């Protein structure tokens, strides 16, 4: 049984694409990105873009779109027992069609990965198949908002996300260096 991702949340004016790996079980049940209540994603988006968890899901999506933020996952589908990224069965991963997405969203100038697993899957399964012009988009690996990544305090996660999303030129470029974490403030 393969879990499947949701359609991307984006409009034609998107500037930043935030990628997770694959929706977790709570998200799949609720059909919402980052629906697990202990995931810090919406709390961070609330602080940065007014798209906090207190708003209805559709309003959160609108806030992201109005701020030029697109949201999607690296995996179109994959086998994963449970919700942990470490449980993704690599041989089962079918990546999303990023060449088509980027071609239809030419303003994307930064891809931010929500955690190291999304960055690794993108680097290994997506990047080699992209046209050269699409491999030059700046990237940054951000601290995972997952409750499984609880070792980093919320305020530090928020600072690192803000550093990259509010100053996208700080992001690393995949073509000249490995996908890496945003610099510490």
């Amino acid at each position: 049984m393969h879990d499947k991702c949701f359609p991307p949340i984006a409009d034609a004016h998107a500037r930043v694409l935030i990628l997770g790996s694959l929706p977790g079980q709570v998200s799949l049940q609720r059909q919402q990105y980052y629906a697990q209540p202990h995931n810090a994603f919406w709390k961070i988006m609330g602080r940065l873009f007014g798209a906090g968890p207190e708003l209805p899901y559709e309003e959160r999506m609108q806030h992201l779109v109005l701020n030029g933020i697109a949201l999607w996952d690296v995996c179109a589908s994959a086998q994963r027992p449970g919700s942990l990224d470490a449980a993704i069965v690599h041989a089962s991963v079918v990546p999303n069609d990023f060449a088509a997405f980027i071609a239809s969203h030419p303003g994307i100038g930064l891809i931010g990965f929500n955690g190291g697993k999304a960055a690794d899957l993108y680097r290994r399964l997506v990047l080699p198949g992209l046209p050269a012009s699409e491999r030059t988009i700046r990237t940054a690996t951000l601290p995972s908002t997952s409750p499984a990544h609880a070792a980093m305090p919320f305020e530090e996660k928020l600072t690192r996300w803000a550093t990259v999303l509010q100053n996208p030129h700080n992001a690393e470029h995949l073509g000249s260096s490995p996908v890496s974490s945003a610099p510490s403030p």
Side-chain angles (χ1 to χ4, degrees):
M1 179 94 170
H2 280 67
D3 290 338
K4 296 183 189 311
C5 85
F6 308 132
I9 303 298
D11 76 1
H13 301 55
R15 298 174 290 105
V16 175
L17 174 59
I18 298 173
L19 294 175
S21 56
L22 184 68
Q25 295 305 308
V26 173
S27 292
L28 291 169
Q29 290 166 3
R30 295 185 184 169
Q31 289 295 290
Q32 297 180 359
Y33 282 101
Y34 303 104
Q36 211 290 347
H38 299 292
N39 191 301
F41 181 81
W42 291 114
K43 192 172 174 184
I44 290 171
M45 293 301 108
R47 292 275 201 80
L48 299 180
F49 304 110
E54 68 282 355
L55 296 176
Y57 182 71
E58 290 304 318
E59 286 184 41
R60 286 181 262 158
M61 295 288 97
Q62 289 174 350
H63 279 276
L64 291 184
V65 168
L66 289 173
N67 282 282
I69 305 294
L71 192 57
W72 208 15
D73 287 304
V74 175
C75 302
S77 68
Q79 290 178 335
R80 177 176 62 187
S83 294
L84 295 176
D85 281 351
I88 293 173
V89 178
H90 287 269
S92 72
V93 172
V94 175
N96 274 308
D97 185 354
F98 286 95
F101 180 85
I102 294 168
S104 65
H105 297 84
I108 297 287
L110 172 67
I111 298 173
F113 302 105
N114 188 349
K117 182 57 112 181
D120 178 61
L121 289 168
Y122 184 88
R123 181 177 49 241
R124 289 188 312 108
L125 301 175
V126 175
L127 192 62
L130 290 178
S133 62
E134 293 179 6
R135 289 193 301 258
T136 62
I137 296 172
R138 289 185 315 276
T139 64
T141 301
L142 299 156
S144 174
T145 60
S146 168
H149 186 59
M152 182 181 290
F154 172 79
E155 290 299 326
E156 185 176 346
K157 287 182 185 183
L158 174 63
T159 298
R160 290 192 181 191
W161 277 76
T163 298
V164 170
L165 295 183
Q166 294 176 340
N167 303 296
H169 297 293
N170 287 342
E172 295 288 329
H173 181 285
L174 259 179
S176 61
S177 64
V179 178
S180 62
S181 295
S184 296

